[in-house]
Amino acid sequence: MPISIIYILFTLFDASNCQWEINESFLSNDEIFTTSGGSSSENFLLPSSQTSANFITCASPYTSYLTLTNAYPSAWTPNRCTIYDRDWISMDLYFQGTWSSQYVQFTIGTFSYSYTYISPANYLLTTGFCDATPFQVRTLNFTLAIAVGSTYSQLKFTSSNTNAGLVSIRNIFVSSVKCYPSCYSCTGPKYNQCTICHYGIQTNNICPPCPSNQYYQKEQGCRDICDVFSPLYQNGFCQSYPIDIIEGSYFTDPIYDDIFKWSLIYDPQHVDTTPTAIIIVNHVLGVLKYNSGVYQYFNSLFTYSNLPYLIGLQITIMLFNEIPINCGIQFKINNTYYGSIYKNASGIQTHKLKISELLNYGIESTQMYFTVQYDLILYIDIPKYEFVFQAIGNYTDGTAGWGLRSVYFTSGYCSEYCKLCEVSFKCKTCESGYYFYRDGTCIGSCSYPYQRLSGSYCYDYDDETPYSQYLVQEYMDQTGDPEQYAKYKLISQNGSNFLKGSDIYYSYWQKFRVFGGPMVWAQAKFQRVHNINNPHHSVTIAFYILYGPSFPSNGKFIYTIESNTPVPKSTAGIYLINSDGSRKDQIYEKVLHNTNTFTITWECFGPNNEPIKAYLWILQLLYCCSQLLTLLLIMLRLIYMYFMEQHLQFQYCQILLSRMLEICKMFNLSIILFNLYIKTRLLQHVNQLIPNLNQDVLAQSINMKNQINVLVVLLSVINAQVLLTVQNALTTNNRQLSQGNCNCIDGYYPIISNPKCQLCHLFCKTCTGPTSDECLTCNAILNIEKVGSVCRCPGGKSYQYTTKTCSSCHSSCSTCFRTTIDGCLTCNSTLNRLLKGLKCVCAPGYYELSIVCTSCPISENSSLSECYKQCNNNQLIWHTITCSSCDTGFQLVIWRMSTYLWRFINKRI
């Protein structure tokens, strides 16, 4: 029998809008298992044992199936999993042999679900399961009901068939409602369906935003900075961004190679050689105490071929007991200070870097330390050379210590596969073979149905239609959604369809859940009607059509949008063949549309089609809102005046301040549409009066004039109220009305999640974000300079808050944070100076003479105290003399290594 297949692939692409997500999955891949232990962690076991459950292995397809028999009637998962109340469970059961009202039971915790089956006299199917085995397949769907909210247990399957009946189990999926990112628990996926929040307390089921100086990490809560792997702050949340890890060091095992790349920095007063890779909650390099530290040489940045905008640095440390007061840990690169974490009377503080996450582990039993983990993040501008990273403590109490868990250097605000970034989150040059994308990244493929390639740029929906919203996003992966069934209406069918069950419209294809698919339907017609409550002007549709390996030439897939002409598609001219022999076609269509319902119909048509492998993936839809006028029209429905443009501008912007600020700039189209609405209603009003004019023209004209006068008075009252409300709203939200736009005032920038404009960096007059590298224009600060989007003080100058100027550093400093001699951050090595504390002092072998570091003479001169160096037992000797011995606990070879390290560091400064 020829195999005729058609299936449509509807890929969904913005996971933030998906309503369900996979919680657990089992037995979904073509994989070979054995009965002697198994080859996969998802292999099932016989109950109360470590013996593998019973599996049958097939040659076509080459895979194994968990199979319950009279000899092996039960199986369960080796590990427990958490399943939640209202989770939706789906699985495929392949029945073989004789079944006479016996059942298959699924159990987890106290919940169980049974399916009773009666086998036919003869199984009709021999293709699509395991070799030529006769079978019948049934797909089970059911919703979990757990009174306590969730259960943590093993999944168990049991067959009551004690005869020759077998059942093979495949494609077990547990789907959960995906809460909005700020919701810890919810009743649905929307922002106003939260029951418990990650931060704060819900009001009317809406979780509050973070304070203005913090960032919302999705599904975690508020942070001082976004995670280094989610650095893009957009739509009110830290968004995952594809960055490169240039180099890193992470301790996973005491004998892991990375431990040997680190060297200890000893405290001469408290020499301790014991720190190594240890386990205190996690693997760390520690315990480091007093003024000890660690350093490592990194060289990958030198060989990194791309040019990122900034380098991202994430440091994870473990604190063992609290940092002593006025003590801390500082971090250096090539002996230049870049930041620190310390404690003062106000508690834990940071300088230059931010805390992205804090994990409190409490008392660790084996070491008796109160253990806290800190993830620290810093973005730095350093040259592309090798460097030495140092972490050095400054502790005064030996009962406390710290350890280093990991260090990562990343491409910062520049995406992977980007050759050059000149501003944050915007690649200027992609690597060869990659395309520019709308979010500033570089992507290697532009083949999704919602994408189209134009030169080196990959366009998608958001490029085509700004301010659009998704109407449908389904079948992105293997996730199930129980609410979909009621949305699809079966119009007609012919031949053999729905072999998995009369109400089963989906199956699985290459790790995707598909609408249709193997043994579902081959000659049927479906319709779906979408309700679109918001005004809009168009709908863009995209999906894949995938034809099976033997789809007949006279078979067709036909889709119809609204009452438009049906569009037939076939395999003619399609040459792209997938690994299973299927062929793919892509549909991308934009239609003008403005009514409240949107109807689309799909049909698999052809007398030679059959459903053994008839696959159909279904569709993604997007509707694009031109303007949201609904609230405005309701409020002013009875006002037929045609001279309301100024009032409309304010009223519209006021609504948008609380609803959609980002569309306020499009108000002109709203005015045109609203004026048209007003004139139409006024014309209707006049036409209603015309038939009565002959009866009493004067009376009707007076009545009409009075109505208009009443409307004018009403309008003036509303206008005054609106003006006052808008002015207050604009002031409160740091906005001003400018040429019909509700713009942020100077010094503030907008965010989508909050109508209130946020404060720019003090260097920026106008900006797109909170940092000094997101400036559009700079403030009027003396000596300020703008490089790209960065407003900064020039090299050799530092911002002074008292004078609000960029003032020159002390002459001994290369860079500084204040203008005094003890405000240096880096030193100019060409002037023979190095950083000691916060001062740039003369390097060994030089002394200060008229603010110039002058070479010490070869001959000893007792008046030049800076030309002496300290050796064993605090002995001072002339700089040209070599120390012949070291203090107790030190070897001379360490001095030589330190000298080498010092020369290397100063070479790179």
Side-chain angles (χ1 to χ4, degrees):
M1 180 172 59
I3 299 176
S4 54
I5 310 165
I6 181 173
Y7 51 102
I8 305 177
L9 173 66
F10 296 80
T11 308
L12 308 180
F13 48 94
D14 187 350
S16 63
N17 289 331
C18 295
Q19 297 190 359
W20 290 75
E21 61 184 346
I22 288 290
N23 181 14
E24 297 285 350
S25 65
F26 306 90
L27 305 174
S28 59
N29 299 323
D30 284 338
E31 195 168 355
I32 300 300
F33 299 91
T34 69
T35 57
S36 59
S39 60
S40 169
S41 61
E42 71 174 9
N43 192 5
F44 281 65
L45 304 177
L46 296 178
S48 303
S49 75
Q50 293 301 311
T51 303
S52 176
N54 183 57
F55 285 83
I56 61 171
T57 298
C58 312
S60 178
Y62 186 56
T63 188
S64 295
Y65 290 88
L66 172 66
T67 302
L68 306 182
T69 68
N70 57 3
Y72 302 101
S74 298
W76 62 7
T77 54
N79 301 313
R80 296 182 179 188
C81 60
T82 302
I83 307 293
Y84 299 91
D85 183 43
R86 296 183 297 111
D87 278 1
W88 197 63
I89 299 179
S90 174
M91 66 187 72
D92 291 338
L93 303 181
Y94 294 85
F95 291 95
Q96 310 129 65
T98 302
W99 289 74
S100 302
S101 297
Q102 287 102 355
Y103 63 82
V104 179
Q105 185 178 65
F106 165 86
T107 304
I108 182 168
T110 60
F111 175 86
S112 64
Y113 180 89
S114 296
Y115 179 76
T116 302
Y117 179 70
I118 301 174
S119 59
N122 294 295
Y123 287 107
L124 300 179
L125 300 177
T126 58
T127 303
F129 166 48
C130 179
D131 301 329
T133 303
F135 72 98
Q136 188 174 50
V137 61
R138 287 291 179 264
T139 296
L140 303 188
N141 296 317
F142 53 91
T143 300
L144 217 63
I146 303 176
V148 294
S150 66
T151 182
Y152 179 65
S153 186
Q154 294 167 291
L155 274 66
K156 183 177 180 180
F157 291 93
T158 303
S159 168
S160 69
N161 194 318
T162 57
N163 300 315
L166 291 75
V167 61
S168 298
I169 306 171
R170 191 66 183 267
N171 296 324
I172 307 167
F173 295 103
V174 182
S175 299
S176 302
V177 171
K178 184 175 184 180
C179 293
Y180 193 72
S182 59
C183 307
Y184 179 79
S185 63
C186 62
T187 58
K190 298 181 181 178
Y191 75 97
N192 59 354
Q193 294 179 307
C194 304
T195 55
I196 301 176
C197 304
H198 288 287
Y199 165 78
I201 300 174
Q202 58 87 9
T203 302
N204 297 325
N205 300 115
I206 301 174
C207 292
C210 290
S212 59
N213 63 339
Q214 289 192 313
Y215 303 84
Y216 215 122
Q217 193 75 37
K218 284 185 178 180
E219 289 143 10
Q220 294 185 32
C222 299
R223 301 285 186 266
D224 289 339
I225 190 172
C226 290
D227 180 83
V228 72
F229 301 106
S230 306
L232 177 62
Y233 195 68
Q234 194 175 68
N235 299 328
F237 295 98
C238 298
Q239 307 289 346
S240 178
Y241 202 74
I243 61 170
D244 266 342
I245 298 178
I246 300 173
E247 192 168 7
S249 184
Y250 184 83
F251 303 113
T252 58
D253 192 278
I255 61 172
Y256 187 58
D257 287 346
D258 265 24
I259 185 64
F260 302 111
K261 299 178 182 178
W262 290 89
S263 299
L264 296 177
I265 299 174
Y266 296 102
D267 180 352
Q269 303 301 318
H270 303 90
V271 177
D272 182 4
T273 62
T274 61
T276 185
I278 58 174
I279 302 178
I280 302 182
V281 180
N282 294 302
H283 288 98
V284 295
L285 177 56
V287 174
L288 298 161
K289 297 183 178 182
Y290 295 107
N291 295 330
S292 61
V294 292
Y295 69 88
Q296 182 181 327
Y297 167 75
F298 291 91
N299 65 353
S300 293
L301 181 61
F302 178 69
T303 58
Y304 187 59
S305 60
N306 297 341
L307 294 173
Y309 177 59
L310 291 172
I311 299 298
L313 171 58
Q314 176 171 291
I315 309 165
T316 300
I317 61 171
M318 306 284 288
L319 299 184
F320 307 122
N321 293 339
E322 292 187 6
I323 299 177
I325 197 75
N326 295 326
C327 297
I329 306 163
Q330 61 178 325
F331 306 99
K332 296 181 177 182
I333 296 177
N334 287 353
N335 212 34
T336 298
Y337 170 84
Y338 273 91
S340 61
I341 179 171
Y342 60 95
K343 183 180 179 182
N344 59 20
S346 300
I348 294 293
Q349 310 290 327
T350 60
H351 180 237
K352 289 195 170 186
L353 42 76
K354 296 288 185 68
I355 299 172
S356 69
E357 188 171 16
L358 183 154
L359 298 175
N360 192 329
Y361 293 108
I363 298 293
E364 206 288 321
S365 58
T366 59
Q367 299 286 337
M368 296 306 295
Y369 286 117
F370 186 86
T371 307
V372 181
Q373 175 177 308
Y374 284 88
D375 287 347
L376 308 172
I377 292 179
L378 174 68
Y379 291 91
I380 55 179
D381 186 7
I382 58 176
K384 287 188 58 182
Y385 293 114
E386 309 101 320
F387 59 85
V388 172
F389 172 82
Q390 298 166 282
I392 307 170
N394 175 27
Y395 277 38
T396 58
D397 185 348
T399 64
W402 60 281
L404 184 69
R405 187 182 182 196
S406 65
V407 176
Y408 286 110
F409 294 91
T410 76
S411 57
Y413 299 138
C414 188
S415 77
E416 60 182 348
Y417 310 122
C418 178
K419 293 288 292 182
L420 174 63
C421 275
E422 293 184 340
V423 296
S424 56
F425 306 115
K426 190 70 174 179
C427 184
K428 184 176 182 180
T429 306
C430 290
E431 292 181 9
S432 176
Y434 291 85
Y435 310 108
F436 293 104
Y437 200 47
R438 60 183 176 83
D439 59 0
T441 63
C442 299
I443 58 176
S445 174
C446 188
S447 58
Y448 285 107
Y450 56 86
Q451 296 174 330
R452 57 187 176 85
L453 188 61
S454 177
S456 60
Y457 189 88
C458 181
Y459 284 87
D460 77 357
Y461 282 158
D462 284 350
D463 294 295
E464 178 178 348
T465 311
Y467 309 110
S468 57
Q469 286 181 268
Y470 291 118
L471 175 61
V472 168
Q473 290 181 299
E474 296 170 349
Y475 300 101
M476 177 179 177
D477 48 28
Q478 296 165 329
T479 304
D481 182 352
E483 299 174 359
Q484 290 177 4
Y485 279 89
K487 300 174 182 177
Y488 292 90
K489 180 180 179 181
L490 178 62
I491 303 299
S492 62
Q493 61 170 308
N494 295 301
S496 179
N497 296 287
F498 311 115
L499 303 184
K500 289 187 168 188
S502 61
D503 61 345
I504 302 301
Y505 299 159
Y506 72 92
S507 63
Y508 298 94
W509 176 84
Q510 295 190 2
K511 297 186 179 182
F512 287 91
R513 188 171 184 265
V514 298
F515 185 56
M519 291 170 282
V520 179
W521 52 276
Q523 299 183 57
K525 185 177 184 179
F526 284 89
Q527 184 181 83
R528 182 167 179 178
V529 179
H530 302 276
N531 294 316
I532 310 177
N533 297 322
N534 293 325
H536 58 284
H537 64 73
S538 64
V539 174
T540 303
I541 305 163
F543 56 89
Y544 286 128
I545 305 172
L546 296 173
Y547 302 93
S550 300
F551 188 77
S553 59
N554 63 345
K556 295 184 182 300
F557 169 74
I558 304 171
Y559 71 94
T560 307
I561 299 174
E562 294 282 85
S563 58
N564 297 345
T565 303
V567 181
K569 307 295 290 186
S570 69
T571 58
I574 300 176
Y575 304 105
L576 181 60
I577 301 177
N578 297 313
S579 59
D580 63 348
S582 60
R583 303 187 181 206
K584 180 172 67 175
D585 196 5
Q586 179 177 329
I587 304 299
Y588 187 104
E589 184 171 345
K590 180 178 180 180
V591 295
L592 297 178
H593 185 272
N594 56 18
T595 61
N596 292 336
T597 60
F598 179 80
T599 303
I600 185 166
T601 304
W602 309 276
E603 180 178 7
C604 185
F605 175 81
N608 296 324
N609 297 354
E610 54 78 30
I612 299 301
K613 292 184 178 179
Y615 305 166
L616 178 68
W617 271 19
I618 229 170
L619 146 101
Q620 51 182 304
L621 291 174
L622 172 143
Y623 72 83
C624 311
C625 301
S626 58
Q627 302 293 314
L628 295 178
L629 295 172
T630 306
L631 293 178
L632 186 61
L633 295 179
I634 290 174
M635 186 174 181
L636 302 178
R637 186 173 297 277
L638 298 178
I639 301 177
Y640 310 139
M641 308 306 295
Y642 60 88
F643 47 85
M644 295 175 61
E645 291 195 11
Q646 186 64 36
H647 162 68
L648 178 61
Q649 293 173 17
F650 285 107
Q651 176 64 26
Y652 186 62
C653 284
Q654 166 61 14
I655 290 173
L656 293 179
L657 280 172
S658 60
R659 296 283 298 191
M660 292 186 68
L661 281 165
E662 71 273 15
I663 309 181
C664 194
K665 64 180 181 180
M666 300 176 65
F667 82 106
N668 285 324
L669 181 57
S670 298
I671 294 174
I672 296 171
L673 295 175
F674 189 68
N675 281 334
L676 179 61
Y677 167 80
I678 293 170
K679 293 175 183 178
T680 302
R681 292 299 300 268
L682 183 60
L683 183 60
Q684 292 175 351
H685 184 75
V686 173
N687 288 337
Q688 291 172 0
L689 296 177
I690 287 176
N692 299 322
L693 290 180
N694 293 332
Q695 300 175 12
D696 191 349
V697 175
L698 180 60
Q700 293 294 337
S701 63
I702 293 173
N703 181 48
M704 185 175 181
K705 185 179 296 184
N706 289 338
Q707 290 185 50
I708 292 176
N709 289 334
V710 170
L711 291 174
V712 170
V713 173
L714 177 61
L715 175 62
S716 63
V717 173
I718 294 176
N719 198 50
Q721 293 175 342
V722 169
L723 285 174
L724 180 60
T725 303
V726 169
Q727 288 169 357
N728 291 336
L730 291 172
T731 301
T732 302
N733 292 308
N734 302 317
R735 292 180 177 271
Q736 63 184 357
L737 190 65
S738 175
Q739 298 179 348
N741 297 327
C742 299
N743 295 329
C744 294
I745 61 177
D746 285 352
Y748 292 84
Y749 66 94
I751 59 173
I752 295 177
S753 62
N754 193 335
K756 188 173 184 178
C757 294
Q758 307 299 302
L759 185 66
C760 295
H761 189 274
L762 60 89
F763 285 179
C764 308
K765 181 178 181 180
T766 57
C767 67
T768 59
T771 65
S772 61
D773 59 2
E774 297 172 287
C775 301
L776 295 173
T777 57
C778 299
N779 268 324
I781 298 173
L782 183 64
N783 296 323
I784 197 78
E785 69 175 7
K786 188 171 186 291
V787 179
S789 62
V790 180
C791 290
R792 65 186 184 188
C793 289
K797 297 184 184 294
S798 171
Y799 182 75
Q800 303 303 303
Y801 290 88
T802 54
T803 60
K804 296 182 179 180
T805 61
C806 290
S807 302
S808 296
C809 298
H810 187 271
S811 59
S812 64
C813 307
S814 179
T815 61
C816 63
F817 65 94
R818 61 180 177 228
T819 58
T820 58
I821 193 173
D822 60 349
C824 301
L825 291 175
T826 60
C827 307
N828 190 340
S829 60
T830 63
L831 300 179
N832 301 312
R833 293 184 179 273
L834 56 82
L835 191 65
K836 184 175 182 180
L838 296 175
K839 294 182 179 180
C840 288
V841 300
C842 291
Y846 294 86
Y847 69 96
E848 193 90 31
L849 178 65
S850 301
I851 70 170
V852 175
C853 290
T854 305
S855 296
C856 292
I858 297 176
S859 301
E860 184 173 356
N861 185 340
S862 60
S863 66
L864 302 178
S865 59
E866 294 174 76
C867 294
Y868 287 88
K869 64 183 179 181
Q870 187 172 346
C871 284
N872 191 30
N873 299 323
N874 296 322
Q875 178 186 3
L876 292 175
I877 63 175
W878 192 246
H879 72 98
T880 57
I881 303 175
T882 301
C883 291
S884 59
S885 62
C886 298
D887 283 334
T888 303
F890 290 86
Q891 296 179 354
L892 189 59
V893 66
I894 296 178
W895 178 86
R896 292 171 182 164
M897 184 180 296
S898 300
T899 302
Y900 168 79
L901 178 62
W902 183 88
R903 290 173 179 171
F904 170 81
I905 291 173
N906 281 278
K907 180 181 178 181
R908 292 300 180 197
I909 294 179

